[in-house]
Amino acid sequence: MLELSNITKSFPGVRALDGARFDLRAGEVHAFMGENGAGKSTMMKIAAGLFAPDTGTIRLDGVPVSFANPSEAKAAGIHTVFQELTVLENLDVAQNLLIGREPALFGGAWLDRVALYDEAAKILRELRIPMDPRRMAGRLSTGQRQIVEIARAVAQNPRVLILDEPTSSLGRHEEELLFSLVARLKTAGTGIVYITHRMSEVFALADRITVLRDGRHILTDDAANLDRPALIRAMVGRDVSEARHEGESRRAEVALEVRGLERGADVRGVDLTLYRGEVLGLAGLMGAGRTELARLMAGIDRPDAGEMMLFGQPYAPASVRAAMLAGVAYVSEDRKGLGVVLPLPVGQNIALPSLARLSRSGWVSPARLRDFARDWMGRLGVRATGPDTVVGTLSGGNQQKVALAKWLSTAPRVILLDEPTRGVDVGAKAEIYTLIRALAAEGTAVLVISSELPELMQLCDRIAVMAQGRVSGDLPAVEASETALLELAFDESEAA
Amino acid sequence: MSARSSLRLSERMADLGLALAIVAIVTALLILSPAFRDPANLMGIGRQVAILGIAAAAMTFVILMGEIDLSVGAVASAAAVVTALALAQGWGVWAIPIAILVGTVFGLLNGVLVVALGVPAFIATLVSFFLAQGVALTLTGGQTILFAADWFRSLFATGSFLGQRAAFWWLLAVFVLMGWLLARTRFGAQVRAIGGDAEASAMLGLPVARVKLLVFTLTGALMGLVGMILIARIGNARADGAIGLEFDAIAAAVIGGTRLGGGYGSIPRTALGVLLIGILNNGLAIMNVDFNTQQVIKGALVVGVVLIDRWARGKGGTT
């Protein structure tokens, strides 16, 4: 019914899709799988009219089509529930459900309020969703918003329904609601694309499975012909056994201990221990709650429940500044957003968290600042003309080194690195690894969040894996394999 | 559950608070000032707030949509100058479409800069501000433009109908029009959705660009009307006639609970904000409070309302 073939799509610096294909039959649930960044979401955004492919064709019932925008895709019967929620918080449930097609007279010149709420109530009743149509969406839980999102698409009797990780924020009850909706749509002949990371759902729901890796089509087969190991193999694609860090995990002194930490739907009871002098990797799929956990440790967000101990002392940072003073530094994954100030020179960036130490009664001596910066640039091998070079003009790797230098210069006892090598070339990567190892050797406790499993296996002493807001297990790096780590990442045993 | 319902309650309180503030101020003024009590004075408030009210109604749309328009005062001034010149040249009724045209052109310019070129509204409308000021100053050469057209003055400001001046009726018409557009049309629903989350609205297939363009253009057209009322009231035009109107309009919209950043606001609430500022201006002026003190009081009022709004919407910190 819907067929995407030979799709290529590049973004600046990345080739997201490289000759990928996908086909969907009426009345089937087709699971679409792959690792983070494999190109699943990009592919579906092309089907939904949000992106135009660079090359390739889309056929609907055998006829080539092209969608200039989401409205055109919708008009053709293709509806999408995006991973990024599009429920508008400032509108109520009914307005959200019927957005863009509100019941109205005179071609939209007079909205029929009564009909709006009647129709919304009817949709909710038919889909057996217990929800007040007048409730403001801003007051719904994330899971409930997801349900509104799904109901909005289902209510339009789609021919094709694309669900992009629909269960990522659903509770048990809402999940059952979703599954029954999917079953009903299927019998009505709707073709359903189901993107998910949860293996059990795939085998419970899917008729066929397609796996994408690095933007390429890897396999399409009946779900009955596949099993979990085969799928993981297809997604990983290699039996990687690269060089590992050779070293015993030093577990002498506990640096940071986390017990029962919770925040919203993202962090749901995390227990984790980070030892002095170790590099602990934190693996997990997108949305597993890794960054959210690091933000709690770094004092950016406050936990709802649970406690943290830093070298045996209770640790509850009220701000990034408090965390910094306690000796915990966080280098964010979003370099441009939080890590470095792009328009400022290297020197000022590095000195930023240390300004108090570098200043006398509020006055900063430019000479002292430069010396300080030069010292750190040397230690980290930042390649820039000097401390006055603007950070924005440096390469990604050097920007990352500046971000690192900035926090290392505060002499942290615990350092949290979120995707420290994202967008960094191979050479700079190796340098950053060496730096991280040297830090640990000096006794710093290092937590590294990374979506690249080979990187974690190469760099870390130990790797903990998060799944759905919890730590599902940890392994010494020497024993870890990508397959074992992915098994843990897909873990859903705690769902009960 | 109880926390949620109490939140909702406190939101109502914010609405109520605004109405109460008006009642309190009016009561105080009624007691304190015999001149304020004078029915003629009270009737006059309606026409005094006409210019502010129309600008605030337009500004409510713009802010609700998550944008800002700093050009309204300058555009209204430019429209006023052009119209006065047209009237002085004896162009008669043609002055009216010309006024609307001048406003529309600047509004369209704002819209195109924001939508097509991706210029932030703050910058784009600042550009229009300077452009409109440039046009007005060039045309007037710094002089006051006089014109004689009693029919025009009567139509837009001084004429009396059912005991109220024409300016008031224009204000009422604009409030009804804008209130209907926002609350009762698909266009209004789209404005609100875009203000809630423009990116999500685009993903939902709403015509984001078109709606933004329309709102900026409509605002410009209404500034043409404001320009006409302005000169009709005083009988002459100056290049700086309505400068500063942008800030009063933003203040009135914000006092009425329109949230900077978009998504929340309504025309009836903005009307309350306009009324509050109008009564305050009138009362303070009539009691001979000096102009600078008036400004301080207005500023304090805006801060107070914003703080109450923050508190009412919960301590979650998400705006």
Side-chain angles (χ1 to χ4, degrees):
Chain A
M1 177 170 58
L2 177 69
E3 195 183 344
L4 289 88
S5 48
N6 205 19
I7 303 285
T8 307
K9 175 79 187 173
S10 296
F11 296 105
V14 222
R15 169 161 273 204
L17 293 171
D18 188 3
R21 63 186 162 85
F22 185 85
D23 75 286
L24 183 70
R25 297 170 191 157
E28 79 163 344
V29 177
H30 195 147
F32 197 31
M33 305 195 69
E35 281 188 285
N36 295 341
K40 297 165 298 194
S41 292
T42 309
M43 188 84 161
M44 287 308 123
K45 281 180 177 165
I46 287 172
L50 215 62
F51 296 152
D54 297 340
T55 64
T57 48
I58 308 171
R59 282 169 204 276
L60 192 60
D61 300 321
V63 184
V65 287
S66 74
F67 306 124
N69 56 50
S71 322
E72 289 186 19
K74 277 187 191 170
I78 301 177
H79 292 266
T80 310
V81 175
F82 295 106
Q83 203 178 340
E84 307 90 344
L85 286 181
T86 59
V87 171
L88 297 162
E89 294 182 14
N90 60 329
L91 305 182
D92 64 22
V93 170
Q95 288 164 337
N96 264 296
L97 279 177
L98 294 163
I99 194 161
R101 53 190 200 100
E102 299 88 352
L105 308 171
F106 315 115
W110 187 261
L111 294 183
D112 187 341
R113 290 263 185 91
V114 177
L116 176 77
Y117 291 102
D118 282 354
E119 193 163 334
K122 197 176 122 214
I123 291 170
L124 292 169
R125 203 165 48 240
E126 272 177 10
L127 301 178
R128 299 194 191 93
I129 299 169
M131 202 182 279
D132 177 4
R134 288 180 186 274
R135 195 168 177 80
M136 290 300 284
R139 302 201 184 289
L140 299 175
S141 72
T142 318
Q144 287 172 316
R145 282 181 216 189
Q146 185 98 50
I147 287 292
V148 170
E149 185 101 31
I150 294 163
R152 177 163 61 201
V154 172
Q156 296 177 70
N157 299 315
R159 297 194 58 209
V160 173
L161 179 65
I162 301 169
L163 298 166
D164 194 351
E165 298 206 33
T167 51
S168 56
S169 54
L170 291 188
R172 200 95 184 107
H173 177 71
E174 291 150 349
E175 220 171 277
E176 279 163 18
L177 202 58
L178 169 71
F179 293 165
S180 72
L181 285 179
V182 167
R184 284 175 53 188
L185 282 173
K186 201 174 136 172
T187 31
T190 304
I192 297 160
V193 183
Y194 199 97
I195 300 179
T196 185
H197 279 315
R198 298 190 186 176
M199 287 281 179
S200 63
E201 283 172 19
V202 170
F203 288 108
L205 289 172
D207 302 303
R208 287 196 300 158
I209 301 174
T210 290
V211 174
L212 211 60
R213 184 174 70 228
D214 300 329
R216 290 195 191 85
H217 177 265
I218 299 300
L219 69 80
T220 298
D221 204 347
D222 288 347
N225 297 336
L226 293 164
D227 59 11
R228 193 175 160 127
L231 266 185
I232 289 182
R233 227 173 13 250
M235 285 191 285
V236 176
R238 54 212 128 120
D239 288 316
V240 191
S241 53
E242 290 176 34
R244 304 281 162 91
H245 166 67
E246 299 290 336
E248 76 294 0
S249 192
R250 279 153 295 205
R251 295 193 171 201
E253 192 184 344
V254 173
L256 181 62
E257 189 174 7
V258 166
R259 287 290 163 256
L261 213 57
E262 286 178 30
R263 179 178 167 88
D266 299 317
V267 180
R268 304 194 289 190
V270 166
D271 297 326
L272 192 66
T273 308
L274 177 61
Y275 295 91
R276 191 170 173 273
E278 94 169 327
V279 180
L280 172 63
L282 193 54
L285 299 164
M286 213 131 55
R290 294 170 300 164
T291 296
E292 290 77 6
L293 175 64
R295 287 171 65 95
L296 292 175
M297 293 173 166
I300 299 172
D301 296 324
R302 242 64 60 209
D304 298 334
E307 56 178 14
M308 293 187 273
M309 304 282 279
L310 186 66
F311 290 97
Q313 303 290 319
Y315 168 68
S319 65
V320 175
R321 193 178 156 76
M324 195 180 99
L325 293 175
V328 178
Y330 171 63
V331 183
S332 82
E333 82 185 299
D334 176 11
R335 208 157 45 222
K336 302 202 164 133
L338 296 166
V340 289
V341 187
L342 289 177
L344 281 187
V346 173
Q348 290 190 28
N349 261 293
I350 294 180
L352 221 44
S354 311
L355 279 180
R357 277 194 294 134
L358 289 173
S359 59
R360 291 228 171 80
S361 44
W363 292 91
V364 183
S365 144
R368 274 186 63 165
L369 192 147
R370 264 196 214 96
D371 288 345
F372 178 80
R374 235 179 244 120
D375 176 31
W376 279 100
M377 287 170 70
R379 283 198 230 180
L380 272 78
V382 175
R383 266 179 290 278
T385 333
D388 296 327
T389 311
V390 170
V391 170
T393 63
L394 300 180
S395 72
N398 279 304
Q399 287 185 13
Q400 187 63 38
K401 285 186 208 160
V402 171
L404 278 172
K406 177 173 135 179
W407 291 110
L408 293 184
S409 69
T410 65
R413 295 188 289 174
V414 173
I415 186 156
L416 316 166
L417 304 173
D418 200 346
E419 302 283 359
T421 63
R422 175 177 290 174
V424 168
D425 63 68
V426 183
K429 255 184 196 175
E431 288 175 19
I432 290 174
Y433 292 166
T434 312
L435 262 169
I436 293 174
R437 292 304 330 170
L439 274 175
E442 286 167 19
T444 313
V446 186
L447 180 77
V448 178
I449 296 176
S450 173
S451 294
E452 288 179 47
L453 296 179
E455 166 169 295
L456 290 177
M457 297 191 315
Q458 194 181 339
L459 174 65
C460 300
D461 298 304
R462 194 160 59 95
I463 302 171
V465 184
M466 279 186 81
Q468 296 168 42
R470 293 186 181 85
V471 172
S472 52
D474 70 298
L475 295 167
V478 278
E479 292 169 22
S481 65
E482 281 199 57
T483 318
L485 290 172
L486 269 185
E487 285 279 353
L488 285 171
F490 280 111
D491 189 277
E492 40 217 296
S493 50
E494 87 306 320
Chain B
M1 206 58 212
S2 65
R4 275 185 183 146
S5 50
S6 76
L7 253 177
R8 222 179 239 179
L9 186 72
S10 62
E11 211 163 274
R12 294 245 172 79
M13 298 267 285
D15 266 348
L16 201 66
L18 186 55
L20 282 179
I22 293 177
V23 171
I25 289 171
V26 169
T27 314
L29 287 170
L30 284 175
I31 294 167
L32 290 174
S33 167
F36 181 81
R37 293 201 276 275
D38 182 354
N41 177 57
L42 290 177
M43 296 291 276
I45 293 176
R47 90 184 110 91
Q48 284 159 15
V49 297
I51 287 170
L52 169 63
I54 294 170
M59 192 63 82
T60 301
F61 267 66
V62 176
I63 296 179
L64 180 60
M65 195 174 65
E67 304 286 355
I68 193 80
D69 189 344
L70 300 178
S71 71
V72 291
V75 171
S77 305
V81 165
V82 173
T83 312
L85 283 170
L87 288 168
Q89 299 285 321
W91 288 28
V93 265
W94 289 105
I96 297 172
I98 284 172
I100 302 296
L101 184 71
V102 170
T104 307
V105 166
F106 280 108
L108 198 62
L109 175 68
N110 284 332
V112 168
L113 285 174
V114 170
V115 172
L117 302 178
V119 181
F122 195 98
I123 308 294
T125 58
L126 202 58
V127 167
S128 292
F129 175 96
F130 289 126
L131 265 179
Q133 270 292 278
V135 168
L137 282 166
T138 309
L139 287 176
T140 59
Q143 304 295 309
T144 300
I145 309 288
L146 300 171
F147 64 92
D150 286 341
W151 64 269
F152 181 87
R153 296 196 58 188
S154 168
L155 179 61
F156 286 102
T158 54
S160 212
F161 179 67
L162 296 179
Q164 274 289 357
R165 295 291 175 85
F168 169 79
W169 294 112
W170 282 108
L171 170 67
L172 193 67
V174 168
F175 270 143
V176 169
L177 170 81
M178 298 299 264
W180 161 72
L181 270 181
L182 187 56
R184 284 291 178 176
T185 67
R186 186 163 288 159
F187 172 67
Q190 287 166 344
V191 169
R192 198 175 286 278
I194 291 166
D197 187 338
E199 212 173 310
S201 299
M203 287 172 93
L204 291 168
L206 301 187
V208 176
R210 194 169 71 206
V211 170
K212 284 193 174 183
L213 196 66
L214 264 171
V215 167
F216 278 112
T217 309
L218 179 64
T219 301
L222 285 172
M223 290 314 107
L225 175 61
V226 165
M228 290 193 285
I229 296 175
L230 185 72
I231 57 172
R233 278 180 62 186
I234 52 180
N236 61 56
R238 286 162 47 102
D240 60 355
I243 295 300
L245 179 62
E246 52 280 352
F247 298 115
D248 279 346
I250 293 170
V254 168
I255 288 174
T258 313
R259 203 181 314 173
L260 288 170
Y264 298 88
S266 84
I267 293 295
R269 290 188 62 178
T270 293
L272 282 183
V274 169
L275 196 60
L276 184 59
I277 290 190
I279 290 170
L280 209 61
N281 277 344
N282 177 287
L284 294 174
I286 232 164
M287 288 168 73
N288 290 320
V289 176
D290 87 310
F291 180 76
N292 296 330
T293 313
Q294 286 185 35
Q295 296 293 89
V296 172
I297 291 174
K298 244 192 283 180
L301 187 69
V302 174
V303 172
V305 168
V306 170
L307 287 179
I308 291 172
D309 190 53
R310 273 270 164 109
W311 168 81
R313 300 200 192 267
K315 295 130 203 158
T318 50
T319 43

